[in-house]
Amino acid sequence: MTQPAPFIAIIGAGPAGLAAAEVLSAAGGRVALYDRMPSAARKLLMAGRGGLNLTHSEPADAFLARYGMAADRLAPALAAFPSQALRDWAAGLGEETFVGSSGRVFPKSFKASPLLRAWLGRLAANGVTFHPRHEWRGFDTSGALLFATPDGPAAVKADAVILALGGASWPRLGSDGGFVPMLRALGVRMNDFVPANMGVLVPWSEVFRQKFAGTPLKRIALSFNGVTVKGEAMVSAAGLEGGAIYAISAPLRRALADGPVTLHLDLRPDLDGAALARRLGGGPGSASLSTFLRKAAGLAPVAVGLIREATGPARPDPAALAHLVKALPLTITGHAGLERAISSAGGIAWECIGPDFSLLGLPAHLPPVFVAGEMLDWEAPTGGYLLQAAIATGRAAGTGAMARLSR
C-alpha cells in the first residue's frame, strides 16, 4: 500500500513560513499554513510601502558579515539560497528586480503586493492550505498542535511542525513574541527580544523639535565607538530614525544599557576638515550664523539647527564651527521600543537549534519541530539582509523537515 505524503504544519505565514511551505509542497508534502492574523505576510506588505528592499548585491563575504555573531550559523542557509537565487526566484514569480545606487535590490514594481499574490498563488497551486485566525497555544499530551480559532479550540496532528512565528517588533502586524513562554516550558532557551533597527532618543529643545521634526538629514555620517556609517537619517520628535541610525543600532543598544551615550554626526562627510576650515576661515562677519553656515559650508536649515542645538546663543569661532560640522556631538538617552522597531534581536538560542534547523532536546511525544525566520536569535541592518535571511532560513527549515521525514 502506498504511504500517504507526510503532513507538515507551518505556524506563521510570513516570508519564512511561506518559504518553508514552498520547499515542502514542491517536494510532495501536504502542507497547511496557520496564522493568527486574517491574512498572510502583513509585515512584508508594510515593508513594501517603502519599495520592498528584497536583498543586497554586495559580495557574499561582506553580505554574511552583516549578521554579526550569528553569521556562522546562518552561513549554510544563505549559501544555499544567496541573493542572486532570491532575485531569480522573484523573477520566476513575474517580478523582475534591479540594483539601486546603494547596492540594494528592489522589484521593478517597487511593490510587495504583486509578489505576494504570485507567491500565494504558487503555494495554492501546490496544494498548500491556509488557515487564518488560528492562534497557536502549544501542544497537548499526544503531541497535537493546539489552536484557538473563531470556531473554538482545535487540535491538529502533524508529522512535522515548522515554527516561523517572527520576532517581537511591530506586534500589531502579527509578531508579538507570545510563543516565548510555550517554548521555554518545553526546555527551549529563549534570549529576550530587544529592539533592532530602531530609532534613538535625543533630548531636542522644544524650538528645534517643533521646527524640524520630520525633516530628513541627507548625506551625513554617524560615528560611534570607532564605527562610521554614511547614509541618511530622519529627525523625529523623539530623536533620530533612518538607515544610518539603524546600521549602528546594535552597538548603540548595548552601550545604552549603561546609560546615555554620545554619537558624533558629520554634516559634510564629502568635505575634509582642512577644506571646511578654509571655507569658514573668514568667520560670519556681519552675516547671521545661519546665513554664513548655509553659504560657506553648504548646510541645510536642519543642519544649521543642529549646530544651534550644540552652541546655544553663542557665536563660536571658525575653528570651533568647523569641528562641530565634522563631529557634532549628540547625546543619546535611549532607544525606541519593540512596538516601533523595524526588527528585533533575541529569540531562540542557537545552542537549541540543529544544523537542519530542528529544535533539539524536545520531549519525546512531540513531532519533529523546525524553526525559521526572525524568531531565531540573529539581527542584521536594513538593506535587504532581514528578508534574505528570513526566506533563506525558511527554505532551510523546509529542506530539513523533508529530509527528516524521508528518513
Side-chain angles (χ1 to χ4, degrees), residues 117-131:
R117 281 196 300 270
W119 198 1
L120 294 176
R122 175 182 287 178
L123 295 179
N126 285 350
V128 176
T129 59
F130 179 60
H131 304 270

Side-chain angles (χ1 to χ4, degrees), residues 8-404:
I8 307 98
I10 301 175
I11 307 175
L18 297 179
E22 184 171 2
V23 168
L24 287 161
S25 59
R30 293 179 295 128
V31 181
L33 269 166
Y34 300 88
D35 198 283
R36 72 185 186 94
M37 303 301 284
S39 58
R42 291 198 163 194
K43 198 171 181 181
L44 179 69
L45 292 174
M46 173 67 81
R49 294 184 181 181
L52 191 60
N53 184 190
L54 286 170
T55 185
H56 202 286
S57 62
E58 68 184 350
D61 55 348
F63 195 109
L64 185 61
R66 303 292 185 178
Y67 298 94
M69 293 182 290
D72 288 345
R73 299 303 301 263
L74 290 170
L78 292 168
F81 194 73
S83 59
Q84 186 58 51
L86 194 152
R87 296 185 67 185
D88 294 341
W89 166 82
L93 289 171
E95 288 296 308
E96 297 290 339
T97 59
F98 73 97
V99 179
S101 58
S102 64
R104 299 183 179 199
V105 176
F106 300 89
K108 289 183 177 179
S109 68
F110 267 110
K111 296 178 181 178
S113 52
L115 180 71
L116 180 58
R117 281 196 300 270
W119 198 1
L120 294 176
R122 175 182 287 178
L123 295 179
N126 285 350
V128 176
T129 59
F130 179 60
H131 304 270
R133 297 187 174 89
H134 277 58
E135 183 173 359
W136 183 51
R137 295 291 179 84
F139 296 93
D140 69 12
T141 55
S142 73
L145 293 158
L146 299 176
F147 294 97
T149 80
D151 299 321
V156 175
K157 292 283 286 186
D159 297 308
V161 173
I162 293 181
L163 302 179
L165 289 154
S169 63
W170 286 97
R172 66 184 181 85
L173 298 177
S175 299
D176 61 0
F179 58 86
V180 170
M182 291 182 285
L183 291 187
R184 281 179 170 157
L186 294 173
V188 178
R189 180 186 162 195
M190 299 292 304
N191 296 323
D192 291 339
F193 282 115
V194 293
N197 292 301
M198 70 291 180
V200 295
L201 309 181
V202 183
W204 305 128
S205 69
E206 191 59 34
V207 170
F208 182 86
R209 179 184 293 109
Q210 290 188 7
K211 188 172 183 179
F212 294 112
T215 304
L217 284 166
K218 298 184 177 181
R219 295 181 293 279
I220 60 168
L222 298 174
S223 297
F224 181 72
N225 278 3
V227 176
T228 298
V229 175
K230 292 183 178 181
E232 298 186 356
M234 178 75 72
V235 175
S236 69
L240 288 173
E241 300 177 348
I245 286 289
Y246 301 155
I248 54 173
S249 63
L252 279 173
R253 182 187 67 240
R254 290 191 285 266
L256 283 166
D258 296 322
V261 300
T262 299
L263 175 71
H264 288 91
L265 171 60
D266 185 347
L267 296 165
R268 285 300 308 268
D270 57 325
L271 194 63
D272 67 54
L276 179 64
R278 288 193 296 271
R279 290 190 181 194
L280 300 178
S286 60
S288 70
L289 184 61
S290 297
T291 300
F292 173 64
L293 288 172
R294 176 174 58 83
K295 292 183 175 180
L299 297 186
V302 64
V304 175
L306 287 168
I307 298 288
R308 288 286 196 187
E309 285 285 279
T311 65
R315 289 171 67 91
D317 60 55
L321 278 177
H323 178 73
L324 286 173
V325 171
K326 295 297 293 180
L328 181 76
L330 289 176
T331 299
I332 310 299
T333 59
H335 58 73
L338 283 164
E339 71 283 353
R340 291 287 298 173
I342 301 297
S343 60
S344 56
I348 301 173
W350 285 101
E351 67 196 51
C352 299
I353 302 170
D356 60 354
F357 286 83
S358 61
L359 277 181
L360 305 176
L362 293 180
H365 70 281
L366 298 185
V369 178
F370 299 78
V371 290
E374 202 178 332
M375 66 187 299
L376 314 185
D377 189 5
W378 60 273
E379 64 179 306
T382 57
Y385 310 104
L386 297 168
L387 188 54
Q388 177 74 52
I391 293 177
T393 57
R395 293 181 64 90
T399 301
M402 185 53 74
R404 179 79 63 89

